[in-house]
Amino acid sequence: MFLASFAFITGAACLGTFIIMNSTNFSWGHIDQNDDQTIFAPFTSRKKWKSYITNQPTNHPANPKLYYPRNCPHSQKYTKSCAKPVPSFIFAGSEFAGASYVFQMLKQHPQVAKASVDNSVDPTHIFDKEEFDEANAFETYISQFPFLKQHVLTTMEEKQNWIVGENAPHYLYNSHVTAKRIKDTLPHVKLVFFLREPIARAYSQYLFENSRLNDSKLTFESLIDLELPILRRCGHTSTQTGWEGFIRCHKGSEIRASWKVSNDDQLGFNFLSKGMYYPALEPFLNHFPSSQLFIIRTEDILLNPSSSFQQLSKFLDIDPTFFAERNFYQDDQLTEQELLSFNSIQNIQSTIKPKNHHYHHHHHSKIQPFFSLINVNEEPKLSTRYRLQRVFRHLNDKLIDIFDHSKTNFNAWIYDVDRG
């Protein structure tokens, strides 16, 4: 069974400035300010990235795999080298979409080094921190990866074709700062994004945050009523300043004060904004070639896990046959609850069945999935779903347009917005 852990990043929301840009085709004069379908209108008038994403890597200069810091540790207990692995991939989004479980599964592959770092549960903020030391960015980032023990280094050098990565799904929401910083620090890194239907993603975040606050009295519907007008007003700012202006508006402290919510409050008020995938991806599209970007729906992993993992393996340039259909247990169908509803660690048997597979040393491999603290069978009210479908459908259409459908499949989420 496939399971997932979810990252929680606290955030905020705020009011923006009413701005009209003559350089765009967007005009507020023709917009009904009371129509939910127009909330994301500032983000749907752009056409730059049509057919950009292929999910297929091309040949590019090899990423250096080892780094030798200036300060080399010495340990009497362990024989360590002075080498650290340089990440060649990052799971950069999105939150509450199953990235953490896929990361754990991927680490079972013999070509994926155990030195890979999971920053989803207790995030290490490097690329998205306010005070970013550009001059020492690489040293700071690489410090979270371990020095390699000598025997591990020897094994990795013998394998040659191995990779190391980071799981940090919070990078997507903060792409206005993370995209350029990642590109400047790790120019050849490959970025992977898992996108879950945004309404389901928002509700999962609500249930998770609500559980952390000991069942806050704020309902999902009341939080949506608070956030939707903020999205509209901050969208005005984005016509001039893009995703950066939107996020800075949405995180601004003045609106939190008007809600009587402190900046240290755990409730994020960003349930919907973290599902605005198209504008959040734009900074990454601006800074990275399509050959370094891989984007997949969470629902496709649910429907066909073997095929999805093989596609990801090909993109990362590791052997895809490890995730072949014959190597998956076939006893049960993969369910949404199994993929998405796990938060407390327990050991269970791997979903990979290595019998008759040439990676024989993984016969007894284990994963650490996350047991549910919330009931994913719960859903928001139907009226709320239909309301949010009207909000998201045009923005989702823009997301679909960035894919080259002759080379990769990224299907639209099916919405029924005729009932209400």
Side-chain angles (χ1 to χ4, degrees):
M1 61 182 69
F2 277 64
L3 313 167
S5 65
F6 301 119
F8 167 66
I9 306 297
T10 57
C14 79
L15 295 174
T17 305
F18 187 79
I19 298 175
I20 299 176
M21 289 295 293
N22 294 327
S23 59
T24 70
N25 295 324
F26 179 73
S27 172
W28 284 102
H30 299 90
I31 295 299
D32 181 354
Q33 297 293 306
N34 296 315
D35 184 357
D36 286 342
Q37 296 188 78
T38 66
I39 286 177
F40 293 142
F43 300 104
T44 59
S45 60
R46 306 164 188 169
K47 301 180 180 179
K48 180 178 179 181
W49 301 107
K50 190 172 180 64
S51 302
Y52 186 71
I53 297 297
T54 65
N55 280 348
Q56 297 180 7
T58 57
N59 294 328
H60 53 75
N63 182 25
K65 294 189 174 183
L66 294 174
Y67 174 68
Y68 294 84
R70 292 186 293 269
N71 298 320
C72 179
H74 296 281
S75 171
Q76 296 179 351
K77 186 175 181 180
Y78 299 109
T79 303
K80 291 185 178 180
S81 71
C82 290
K84 284 196 170 206
V86 177
S88 55
F89 74 92
I90 297 175
F91 284 8
S94 63
E95 298 167 73
F96 296 89
S100 296
Y101 179 73
V102 177
F103 188 73
Q104 293 297 327
M105 285 292 295
L106 192 68
K107 285 176 68 175
Q108 293 186 78
H109 195 294
Q111 290 176 261
V112 180
K114 304 306 181 196
S116 297
V117 173
D118 190 343
N119 276 324
S120 63
V121 178
D122 186 16
T124 298
H125 295 277
I126 295 177
F127 289 130
D128 60 342
K129 66 188 304 182
E130 285 297 324
E131 296 180 2
F132 181 71
D133 183 359
E134 185 174 352
N136 297 299
F138 183 80
E139 290 276 356
T140 302
Y141 178 74
I142 212 72
S143 66
Q144 66 184 316
F145 292 86
F147 283 95
L148 299 174
K149 295 179 183 178
Q150 189 60 53
H151 74 277
V152 174
L153 176 61
T154 301
T155 301
M156 293 170 73
E157 288 177 336
E158 290 174 354
K159 286 183 180 179
Q160 302 253 331
N161 190 20
W162 54 268
I163 59 175
V164 169
E166 178 194 16
N167 181 34
H170 53 287
Y171 286 164
L172 178 59
Y173 178 66
N174 297 291
S175 61
H176 61 292
V177 293
T178 60
K180 184 180 185 303
R181 291 171 178 178
I182 294 172
K183 179 63 176 178
D184 291 344
T185 307
L186 301 167
H188 302 303
V189 75
K190 294 179 180 179
L191 301 174
V192 178
F193 300 91
F194 303 93
L195 306 185
R196 184 184 178 190
E197 191 278 310
I199 303 169
R201 194 221 66 81
Y203 197 63
S204 284
Q205 180 183 341
Y206 163 73
L207 291 175
F208 179 74
E209 295 188 9
N210 207 39
S211 70
R212 289 170 61 98
L213 295 176
N214 298 317
D215 294 323
S216 167
K217 299 303 180 183
L218 285 171
T219 66
F220 184 64
E221 286 70 28
S222 64
L223 290 169
I224 295 308
D225 286 338
L226 283 170
E227 188 174 2
L228 283 174
I230 306 309
L231 298 181
R232 184 185 297 281
R233 297 185 184 186
C234 289
H236 302 169
T237 299
S238 74
T239 58
Q240 182 181 36
T241 57
W243 185 245
E244 178 176 1
F246 175 85
I247 290 297
R248 296 198 183 283
C249 166
H250 200 278
K251 288 184 175 182
S253 60
E254 63 271 20
I255 189 60
R256 295 182 69 83
S258 72
W259 287 349
K260 297 181 173 58
V261 176
S262 72
N263 283 327
D264 295 327
D265 195 281
Q266 294 186 58
L267 201 57
F269 292 92
N270 49 25
F271 306 101
L272 302 183
S273 59
K274 287 191 175 183
M276 296 171 62
Y277 302 133
Y278 173 68
L281 283 167
E282 281 195 294
F284 287 107
L285 304 182
N286 273 314
H287 290 287
F288 287 87
S290 62
S291 59
Q292 289 176 241
L293 303 173
F294 183 90
I295 306 173
I296 188 171
R297 299 191 322 165
T298 300
E299 293 78 8
D300 291 328
I301 301 173
L302 177 70
L303 291 171
N304 197 333
S306 174
S307 175
S308 299
F309 271 86
Q310 289 185 69
Q311 291 176 46
L312 177 59
S313 297
K314 291 176 183 177
F315 177 77
L316 297 177
D317 195 26
I318 58 177
D319 183 7
T321 63
F322 181 74
F323 295 111
E325 192 75 31
R326 66 181 181 274
N327 296 319
F328 276 76
Y329 286 122
Q330 302 297 320
D331 297 336
D332 300 296
Q333 292 291 325
L334 177 63
T335 67
E336 184 176 5
Q337 183 166 0
E338 290 170 336
L339 176 63
L340 295 169
S341 65
F342 290 82
N343 288 325
S344 65
I345 295 179
Q346 65 173 348
N347 286 323
I348 67 168
Q349 190 172 14
S350 169
T351 57
I352 293 294
K353 179 172 61 176
K355 183 178 179 181
N356 297 326
H357 197 280
H358 59 280
Y359 294 124
H360 55 85
H361 60 282
H362 277 250
H363 282 189
H364 303 289
S365 61
K366 300 282 186 178
I367 56 172
Q368 290 187 318
F370 295 80
F371 186 78
S372 179
L373 292 177
I374 59 176
N375 183 2
V376 295
N377 291 322
E378 295 181 20
E379 292 184 352
K381 296 176 181 178
L382 281 177
S383 59
T384 303
R385 279 197 61 84
Y386 294 142
R387 181 186 185 189
L388 293 180
Q389 285 179 2
R390 287 189 288 270
V391 171
F392 275 103
R393 63 173 180 167
H394 295 309
L395 193 65
N396 289 347
D397 289 342
K398 293 299 296 182
L399 174 67
I400 301 303
D401 285 346
I402 73 174
F403 292 88
D404 182 343
H405 294 283
S406 68
K407 297 180 179 179
T408 188
N409 291 323
F410 192 99
N411 297 318
W413 292 290
I414 304 301
Y415 283 172
D416 181 358
V417 294
D418 295 326
R419 295 178 290 171

